[in-house]
C-alpha cells in the first residue's frame, strides 16, 4: 500500500510561491501564520529572513521587487506576518508600496474561520484595513482556492501599473487538505478577470498627433517618470531624447533611468528640483511625459503649472490621465513599447533648438555658483559638515555607479540632487508616501536582489531610528550594506520648513540621539563617526574597503537647507533660490512662464 | 449640484461593494443612491450609483478609478436624456382612500395593504422627481414611513 500524500493549504501556498520564482520570504511569525512557517522550514525551499518588525519585512520585500526589476531575473518580494498586530504592522510598508506602484505580495495569517468576526484573540479585519491601501486583497476560505489565488495575485501585482497585494489566510485553511480530485496546472493557468484591462501597445492616432506636436514644438521638455524605470526604458528614452534633441527632466522616481549628467539632462524637477528643470517647465511649449502622474510635489499649484504648454501624457494607468494635469494627447500604453514605436517613426525630426538651450543654460547659472561654493566649502557656518558635500564626495568616490537607498527628509533630497547616477535603476526611494524609516529595511532587500553591487543606505538621525531594529536583521544575515547616518540633530526637512515658513520656531524638530557607536557595537557592526571635512572621503573609502556592513555617522550642520524650493501649494514662480537674508538672486524673476 | 448616475458592471466577488463605497468616500462624495443587482450574465453584478457633482472632469475621474478596480468590467455615466432612471417607493401613509384615487392617472401606484380605513401601504414607481412630487402633493405630514429602492438606470 502506498502512503497517500495529504496536500494542505500551506503546501499549496508555498508551492505557488516557488512556482512564481520567489526566493526570499521576509517576515515575522505568530500564532495564525505558524503552520506556513513550519512548512516553509521543513521544505527549505526559501531563504527566510526574519525582520525585527513587520514594517521592516514589507520594505525588504519592496527592496527585492525594486532592485531586481532591471535584472534578467525580476523577483517579487514577499512578506509574511501573523494576524492582528502582525498584519497591522505591515500596513505602512504596504501603503508605501501602493503609492510607489511596487508589486509585493503580503501574506497574513488570520484567525480560524470559525471565530472570524467575533473579536477573537489577535483578530483584525485585515481585508477591511488593507483594501484602500493596496492594489488587491484576497481572503482565502478554502485550501482549493490557494493556488489559483496566489497565481492571480502575482498576475495582478505585476500587470499594468504594479502594486502590492494582500492575501489573508485563516489558520484552519492553511491546514485544510484538498480533495483527491484537486488539480491545478500553473502552466496553463490564466486568471479570469474580464475587467482587468491593460493596454501595453500605443494606438496609432494619438501617436501620430504626439509626433506632430513634438515636431512643431520650439521649447519642449521630456519628463522621465517611474514608468521609464519600471518598463526598463531608460536607454530608449535616452535615444529618443538624442534623436529629437529635447532636454529631459526627472521625477524623483525617474532618477537613474539614464545617466543624470547626460548633456540633455536637466536633473530632477519639482519642489526641490533644479532651477533649470523647473524654469524650463515653466517656459516650455510642450511637455512629453513618460510614466508619471503629475504628483503635487512635481507640479506645485496646478493653476500655474505649465500654462503655455501642450502635454503629451504616456501612462500605463488610464486613471492617471487628465487627473491632475489635462493633456493634449493621451497615450495609454507601456512606456517601453511607446518609445520603441516612436523611435521607429520616420516623421520624427531633429531640431538644433539653439535658443532653447541657451535659455536653459541661463537657468543653469542661477544657482550653479552658490551650489558649487557650498559643495567645495563642505562645512556650514558652525564648521559642521554639509550633507550635499558628503553626497557629492560619495558620488565622486564611487563614480556614481553604486546603488543609493535614501530615507525620507532633507538628506533624501540631497542624495537625489548631488549623486551622479550612472547605473540604470540605482536609486530607490520612498516617494509617494515619503515614509521615514524605509531606507534601512529596503536596502536589505535591494542588496539581496543585487548582491554584486554596492548598496548605500543613507538616513537622517530621525528616520534611522524609525526602523533601527533592522540592524538586527543585518547582523544576523550579514547583509553587506553601507549605512550612512547624516546626523544634524534635528528632523531636518521639517526644520527647513520652520526656518522658511514658521519664523524659525523649531517645534518638535530638535532631537537627541543615542550614541550610535554603542548601538553599532551592540549589533557587531563596525562604526565610524566623522566630524571633519578631511575625514569624509577616507571614511567613505573605509566603508567601501570593508567587507560587510558598516555604519558611518556624519555630524552635519543643522542649518543647512536644500534649495531651490517651491513652497508646498506654491506655484513655480515662487521658487526660492536663495536663503532668506541672502537676497542676491531675484526669486520671482520670470514669474508666469512664456511672455 | 448636478445629479449623476454611474452604471458599472463588475465581478460578483466579496468586497467589491466595499471597494466602490471606499472610493466614493475617499473622493468625499455622499452617495445619493446605490443599487446592486445581478446582471443577465451569471457572476456579474450591475451597480447604479447616483451622486452629485457639477464638474465633468471629476465624474470622468471617478469612472476611470472605478474601472481600475480588478473586478470592474466597465463603468460609464448615464445622462438623463439618453437613459431611464427609475426607483420604487413603498409608502405607508394616512390618507383618505378616495383622495388617494384622485392621484391615479398622474402617478403609477398600487395599493398593497389597507389595514385601517385610512392607513394604507402603497407601492409607487417612477422617476425620483415623480416620487418626490407625489410625496409633496400628498403632504409629507401624512406619511408614516417610506422605503425607497434608490435609482436603477438603463440606457435607451
Ligand atoms: C513616518 C513619517 N513621519 C513623519 C514624516 C514627516 N517628515 C518628513 S521629513 C521629516 C524629517 C526627517 O528627519 P531626519 O530623518 O532626521 O532626516 P533629515 O531631514 O534631517 O535629513 C519628517 C518628520 C514622515 N515623512 N514620515
Amino acid at each position: 500500500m502506498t502512503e497517500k500524500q495529504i496536500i494542505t493549504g500551506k503546501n499549496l501556498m508555498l508551492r505557488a510561491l516557488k512556482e512564481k520564482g520567489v526566493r526570499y520570504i521576509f517576515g515575522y511569525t505568530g500564532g495564525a501564520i505558524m503552520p506556513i512557517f513550519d512548512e516553509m522550514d521543513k521544505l527549505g525551499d526559501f531563504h527566510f529572513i526574519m525582520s525585527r518588525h513587520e514594517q521592516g519585512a514589507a520594505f525588504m520585500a519592496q527592496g527585492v521587487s525594486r532592485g531586481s526589476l532591471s535584472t534578467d531575473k525580476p523577483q517579487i518580494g514577499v512578506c509574511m506576518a501573523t494576524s492582528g498586530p502582525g498584519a497591522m504592522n505591515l500596513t505602512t510598508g504596504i501603503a508605501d508600496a501602493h503609492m510607489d506602484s511596487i508589486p509585493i505580495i503580503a501574506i497574513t495569517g488570520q484567525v480560524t474561520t470559525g471565530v472570524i468576526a467575533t473579536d477573537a484573540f489577535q483578530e483584525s479585519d485585515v481585508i477591511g484595513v488593507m483594501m484602500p491601501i493596496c492594489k488587491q486583497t484576497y481572503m482565502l476560505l478554502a485550501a482549493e482556492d490557494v493556488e489559483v489565488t496566489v497565481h492571480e495575485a502575482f498576475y495582478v501585482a505585476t500587470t499594468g501599473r504594479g502594486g502590492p497585494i494582500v492575501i489573508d489566510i485563516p489558520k484552519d485553511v492553511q491546514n485544510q487538505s484538498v480533495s483527491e480530485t484537486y488539480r491545478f496546472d500553473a502552466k496553463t493557468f490564466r486568471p479570469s478577470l474580464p475587467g482587468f484591462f491593460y493596454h501595453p501597445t500605443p494606438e496609432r492616432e494619438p501617436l501620430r498627433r504626439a509626433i506632430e506636436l513634438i515636431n512643431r514644438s520650439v521649447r519642449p521638455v521630456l519628463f522621465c517618470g517611474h514608468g521609464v524605470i519600471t518598463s526598463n526604458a531608460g536607454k530608449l528614452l535616452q535615444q529618443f531624447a538624442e534623436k529629437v534633441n529635447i532636454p529631459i527632466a526627472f521625477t524623483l522616481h525617474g532618477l537613474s533611468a539614464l545617466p543624470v549628467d547626460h548633456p540633455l539632462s536637466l536633473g530632477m524637477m519639482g519642489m526641490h528640483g533644479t532651477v533649470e528643470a523647473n524654469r524650463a517647465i515653466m517656459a516650455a511649449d510642450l511637455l512629453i511625459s513618460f510614466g508619471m502622474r503629475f504628483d503635487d510635489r512635481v507640479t506645485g499649484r496646478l493653476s500655474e503649472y505649465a500654462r503655455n504648454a501642450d502635454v503629451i501624457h504616456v501612462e500605463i494607468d488610464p486613471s492617471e490621465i487628465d487627473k491632475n494635469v489635462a493633456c493634449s494627447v493621451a497615450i495609454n500604453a507601456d512606456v517601453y513599447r511607446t518609445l520603441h514605436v516612436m523611435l521607429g517613426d520616420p516623421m520624427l525630426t531633429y531640431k538644433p533648438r539653439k535658443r532653447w538651450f541657451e535659455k536653459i543654460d541661463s537657468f543653469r547659472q542661477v544657482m550653479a555658483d552658490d551650489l558649487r561654493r557650498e559643495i567645495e566649502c563642505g562645512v556650514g557656518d558652525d564648521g559642521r559638515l554639509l550633507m550635499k558635500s558628503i553626497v557629492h564626495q560619495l558620488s565622486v568616490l564611487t563614480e556614481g555607479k553604486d546603488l543609493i537607498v535614501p530615507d525620507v527628509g532633507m538628506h533624501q533630497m540631497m542624495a537625489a540632487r548631488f549623486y551622479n547616477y550612472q547605473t540604470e535603476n540605482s536609486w530607490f526611494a520612498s516617494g509617494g508616501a515619503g515614509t521615514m524609516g524605509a531606507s534601512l529595511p529596503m536596502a536589505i532587500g535591494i542588496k539581496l536582489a543585487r548582491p554584486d553591487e554596492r548598496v548605500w543606505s543613507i538616513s537622517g538621525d530621525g528616520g534611522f531610528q524609525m526602523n533601527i531594529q533592522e540592524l538586527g536583521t543585518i547582523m544576523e544575515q550579514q547583509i553587506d550594506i553601507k549605512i550612512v547616518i547624516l546626523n544634524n540633530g534635528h528632523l531636518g526637512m521639517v526644520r527647513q520648513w520652520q526656518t522658511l515658513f514658521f519664523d524659525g520656531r523649531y517645534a518638535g524638530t530638535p532631537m537627541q540621539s543615542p550614541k550610535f557607536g554603542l548601538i553599532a557595537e551592540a549589533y557587531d557592526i563596525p562604526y565610524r563617526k566623522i566630524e571633519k571635512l578631511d575625514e569624509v572621503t577616507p571614511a567613505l573609502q573605509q566603508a567601501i574597503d570593508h567587507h560587510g556592513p558598516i555604519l558611518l555617522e556624519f555630524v552635519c550642520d543643522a542649518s543647512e537647507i536644500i534649495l531651490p524650493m517651491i513652497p508646498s501649494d506654491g506655484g513655480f514662480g515662487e521658487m526660492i533660490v536663495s536663503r532668506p537674508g541672502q537676497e542676491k538672486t531675484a526669486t520671482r524673476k520670470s514669474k508666469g512662464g512664456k511672455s | 449640484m448636478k445629479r449623476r448616475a454611474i452604471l458599472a458592471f463588475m465581478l460578483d466577488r466579496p468586497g467589491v461593494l466595499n471597494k466602490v463605497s471606499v472610493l466614493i468616500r475617499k473622493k468625499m462624495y455622499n452617495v445619493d443612491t446605490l443599487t446592486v443587482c445581478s446582471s443577465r450574465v451569471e457572476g456579474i453584478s450591475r451597480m447604479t450609483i447616483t451622486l452629485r457633482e457639477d464638474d465633468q472632469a471629476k465624474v470622468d475621474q471617478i469612472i476611470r478609478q472605478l474601472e481600475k478596480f480588478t473586478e470592474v468590467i466597465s463603468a460609464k455615466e448615464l445622462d438623463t436624456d439618453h437613459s431611464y432612471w427609475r426607483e420604487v417607493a413603498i409608502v405607508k401613509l394616512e390618507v383618505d382612500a378616495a383622495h388617494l384615487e384622485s392621484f391615479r392617472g398622474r402617478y403609477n401606484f398600487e395599493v398593497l395593504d389597507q389595514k385601517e380605513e385610512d392607513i394604507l401601504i402603497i407601492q409607487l414607481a417612477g422617476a425620483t422627481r415623480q416620487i418626490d412630487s407625489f410625496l409633496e402633493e400628498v403632504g409629507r405630514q401624512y406619511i408614516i414611513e417610506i422605503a425607497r429602492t434608490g435609482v436603477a438606470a438603463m440606457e435607451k
Side-chain angles (χ1 to χ4, degrees), chain A residues 22 24-26 57-58 60-66 68 74-79 102-106 154 165:
Chain A
V22 174
Y24 298 102
I25 293 179
F26 306 94
M60 290 173 203
Q62 277 204 42
V64 165
S65 300
R66 289 178 189 243
S68 69
Q75 300 170 56
I76 299 303
V78 175
C79 54
I102 307 299
I104 59 169
I105 307 284
F154 274 81
I165 311 287

Side-chain angles (χ1 to χ4, degrees), chain A residues 92 387 407-412 433-437 459-464 466 486 488-495 509 511:
Chain A
T92 307
M387 292 184 187
D407 205 68
V408 170
M410 182 185 289
H411 66 279
Q412 176 188 32
T435 307
M436 285 171 68
S459 300
D461 41 329
F464 182 72
M466 281 214 178
L486 300 181
N488 55 8
H490 283 79
L491 301 178
M493 184 52 101
V494 178
R495 189 185 192 279
T509 47
M511 173 167 200

Side-chain angles (χ1 to χ4, degrees), chain B residues 1-5 32 51-56 59 77-80 85:
Chain B
M1 275 213 273
K2 189 169 173 198
R3 194 169 189 214
R4 311 281 189 156
D32 256 10
L51 45 80
R52 290 175 191 276
E53 174 61 66
D54 288 331
D55 187 346
Q56 188 61 42
V59 178
E77 190 186 355
L78 298 182
D79 68 37
T80 35
W85 304 16

Side-chain angles (χ1 to χ4, degrees), chain A residues 34 69 191 237 454 519 593:
Chain A
M34 280 175 66
L69 68 87
L237 183 66
R454 198 158 38 232
I519 301 258

